[in-house]
Amino acid sequence: MYIAAPSILSADFSKLLEEVKDVSTAKFLHIDVMDGHFVPNITIGPLIVKSIKGKVDMVFDCHLMISDPKKYTESFAKSGADIITFHYEALNSKEEILDLIDYIHSFKIHAGISIKPNTSVDVLDEEILSKVDLVLVMSVEPGFGGQKFMENSLPKIKKLRELKDKFKYNYIIEVDGGINKETAVLVKKAGVEAIVAGTYVFKSQNRKETIKELEKDF
Ligand code: DX5
Ligand code: ZN
């Protein structure tokens, strides 16, 4: 059984709560936060997260595509984020990375780290992998929904799965971008555990069936 994480980036924001309730059979709600600086797009802030918190029984999986994740950690944590995932590329040193993981944990929530398509999985070393609760492999360039899946995510997922099995790490392996019926099978075969899907879920005829499709074995 896989974790489905519908991404509200593809929802109709004029009726956001209705849209969120409609996908609430999924375990995770993926919330894409963009600052117009780390990525060209601007999306959701903590106020929106707060407005839907408590209205559905889902894990709030906040994906921070922002240049200064530490600055906004507290407000997202207090607004209801259950997982805060920041980007490896947004930070300047390993010290900053380890410090941010601890800082996120200080709010009694989970910490995730994400890598963009051009970042090697090898930048995530033992020290990082043993501390994080989630590793998010981007299978598109972060910034927009509806892009084409990039296959270079597959060996990264495989590697993370091998390392997890070998060293008994606790992180959840998540993938994000370009997921559809076919690419979902590819990431499952590679060893993913949580699957983010925006367009595929929100634009489908039957969202609940699409969520089930994501959750089931290949
Ligand atoms: C892209 C976001 C994704 C996006 C995925 O930067 O991180 O979560 O919503 O959208 P799809 O599933 O349409 O590729
Ligand atoms: Zn995302």
Side-chain angles (χ1 to χ4, degrees):
M1 179 91 169
Y2 296 89
I3 296 168
S7 166
I8 57 171
L9 193 60
S10 298
D12 179 345
F13 278 84
S14 68
K15 45 174 182 167
L16 185 60
L17 183 58
E18 238 175 90
E19 294 278 89
V20 169
K21 283 184 175 165
D22 203 35
V23 299
S24 61
T25 50
K27 187 169 175 190
F28 281 15
L29 186 68
H30 188 79
I31 300 169
D32 285 308
V33 177
M34 306 186 191
D35 64 355
H37 188 256
F38 183 75
V39 289
N41 205 358
I42 302 181
T43 57
I44 299 162
L47 272 179
I48 308 276
V49 176
K50 198 172 177 186
S51 74
I52 48 175
K53 188 67 182 180
K55 309 237 163 63
V56 284
D57 183 20
M58 299 174 89
V59 173
F60 278 28
D61 174 27
C62 294
H63 177 192
L64 268 48
M65 287 160 275
I66 64 178
S67 297
D68 194 348
K70 188 164 185 187
K71 184 173 175 187
Y72 296 96
T73 289
E74 181 172 9
S75 56
F76 278 100
K78 291 187 172 163
S79 301
D82 298 296
I83 304 168
I84 289 184
T85 297
F86 61 89
H87 265 270
Y88 168 83
E89 301 83 2
L91 300 188
N92 297 310
S93 66
K94 198 167 109 180
E95 204 186 344
E96 272 187 24
I97 292 172
L98 298 176
D99 170 70
L100 181 52
I101 296 168
D102 286 339
Y103 185 58
I104 295 170
H105 283 156
S106 75
F107 295 97
K108 304 274 173 273
I109 59 171
H110 299 294
I113 190 163
S114 181
I115 50 171
K116 298 208 287 183
N118 288 330
T119 302
S120 162
V121 71
D122 299 331
V123 301
L124 306 175
D125 66 9
E126 199 266 329
E127 234 178 323
I128 297 171
L129 292 177
S130 61
K131 275 178 98 107
V132 286
D133 308 292
L134 183 143
V135 180
L136 174 57
V137 176
M138 290 307 298
S139 43
V140 296
E141 243 355 285
F144 300 92
Q147 303 181 75
K148 192 176 176 291
F149 179 81
M150 295 169 75
E151 298 216 347
N152 75 348
S153 58
L154 297 172
K156 297 185 195 181
I157 295 168
K158 260 187 214 135
K159 175 90 188 281
L160 287 165
R161 188 53 184 260
E162 277 164 23
L163 291 171
K164 177 175 173 171
D165 292 345
K166 188 166 170 200
F167 297 108
K168 305 270 176 284
Y169 292 132
N170 289 317
Y171 55 75
I172 292 172
I173 306 165
E174 186 177 53
V175 69
D176 184 6
I179 293 297
N180 56 36
K181 198 176 166 117
E182 289 73 39
T183 56
V185 174
L186 301 178
V187 294
K188 286 174 183 177
K189 283 188 177 159
V192 87
E193 293 159 308
I195 306 172
V196 177
T199 314
Y200 182 47
V201 170
F202 280 98
K203 309 287 182 230
S204 73
Q205 294 297 324
N206 187 334
R207 292 170 175 175
K208 289 186 177 58
E209 278 309 311
T210 305
I211 289 166
K212 273 194 201 153
E213 178 79 29
L214 285 171
E215 289 171 340
K216 74 167 202 219
D217 276 346
F218 55 90

